[in-house]
Structure formats: C-alpha cells, structure tokens
Amino acid sequence: MPLLDFRAIHYGDLPMLTADQNALLTQIGPASRMGALMRRYWHPVAGRDELADKATMRVRILGEDLVLYKTRAGKYGLIEESCPHRRASFFHGIPTQDGIRCMYHGWEFDGAGQCVRQPAEKENFAAKVCVPSYPVREYLGLIFAFFGEGEPPEFRRFPELEESD
C-alpha cells in the first residue's frame, strides 16, 4: 500500500496526513525508515572554515549528537559525542595525530571509532571498546559525512564547480 495516493489529489484538495504517515515521513533516527533512507547518501555537516580556529565542533544531524574534529595530521573525523567510559563529551577532546583523546581519562580513539590507547587499563582492553564514527571527506570547502552501514557510495564530484572561483 502506498504511503499516499496522489492520483486522487485535485487543485485545492490536498489530503491530510495521518499521525502514522507523518511519523513515517519525519522520523529520521537510525532505526526509522526515513532515517535508513537518508543514511544512504553523503551529507554536508560543516564548512571547512568552521574548524579553522578550533579543534572540535558539535554537530547534530539525523537525530544524532556528534563531534567533528581535525586531527594533528589534518584529517577530519566525526564521532559520537560521548566517550563510552564516563560519557564525557569529545567536544572537549584533544585531537591526536590519528584521532581524538577523551579529556577525562585519556582514552584515545582512531578515525574509525576504535579505542587504541587507555592509560591505566590492561593492554588488551582497548580492542574491546569502539564508538560510532562516520567516514568524512572535505570537498569544495564543505565537510561531508556518510552515516549508512557498509561501504559508502561513490562520492559525487562537480568538476564545473572545481574550476570556478
């Protein structure tokens, strides 16, 4: 059954959405149908210049609270806002060469969200800790992220914009 039957619409006679139809179209969390659809595409999350004078910034997109950061190597990363240890915000985190370190207890995460260092913990414990993170890329002064599962689709380029000022 289609969500809406647009064949019956006449000028000035627009159908009213039911509460269920409205929820179906507007809920964008990870477990929702529209959220799953939206996560199939690359989305702009920030302008490159927004991170020019700071190390991190908060981003809220598709119902998720995230932190965008720039590593010391100059790569961008996008990670869930809260560290899994004590839920401290990565907004206050310290970018490292390849990722970000939680300012609270010093747990360090790479660009894939995998914990790679944990001061004062057993050596093999870090391999068990991972947080959601998303692939990002910078293009034409914007930072784009892919929120879906699996391999991201090919990133669409616009050569005509690359050549202009």
Side-chain angles (χ1 to χ4, degrees):
M1 182 170 94
L3 181 62
L4 294 172
D5 186 359
F6 289 102
R7 294 173 293 180
I9 296 177
H10 302 288
Y11 180 76
D13 187 24
L14 296 175
M16 179 69 91
L17 291 177
T18 67
D20 289 341
Q21 290 170 330
N22 185 58
L24 179 67
L25 289 173
T26 59
Q27 300 300 312
I28 43 113
S32 69
R33 286 176 62 187
M34 289 307 279
L37 173 68
M38 295 299 290
R39 283 166 172 74
R40 295 179 187 173
Y41 306 98
W42 287 92
H43 294 275
V45 295
R48 175 187 56 216
D49 293 342
E50 292 181 74
L51 276 177
D53 60 346
K54 54 188 170 185
T56 64
M57 73 177 276
R58 286 187 169 107
V59 174
R60 179 159 177 80
I61 187 166
L62 297 176
E64 295 187 55
D65 293 316
L66 308 166
V67 170
L68 179 67
Y69 63 93
K70 188 174 183 178
T71 68
R72 292 183 182 170
K75 293 184 177 183
Y76 294 101
L78 187 64
I79 194 168
E80 180 180 89
E81 182 171 359
S82 299
C83 177
H85 183 220
R86 295 285 183 172
R87 308 306 291 167
S89 175
F90 282 116
F91 175 69
H92 303 291
I94 303 157
T96 61
Q97 186 67 21
D98 299 315
I100 191 165
R101 181 182 305 276
C102 176
M103 53 72 78
Y104 190 65
H105 276 127
W107 287 17
E108 184 179 343
F109 295 82
D110 66 13
Q114 179 62 52
C115 188
V116 292
R117 285 182 197 78
Q118 296 173 318
E121 297 288 345
K122 293 184 179 181
E123 192 173 317
N124 61 350
F125 186 67
K128 299 176 185 177
V129 181
C130 193
V131 294
S133 69
Y134 302 99
V136 292
R137 68 173 38 166
E138 190 246 328
Y139 181 63
L140 298 175
L142 295 172
I143 301 169
F144 291 84
F146 175 72
F147 299 93
E149 295 179 11
E151 273 304 300
E154 183 177 336
F155 188 83
R156 185 171 177 204
R157 301 180 66 91
F158 297 91
E160 63 277 6
L161 295 176
E162 293 173 7
E163 299 169 4
S164 70
D165 291 334

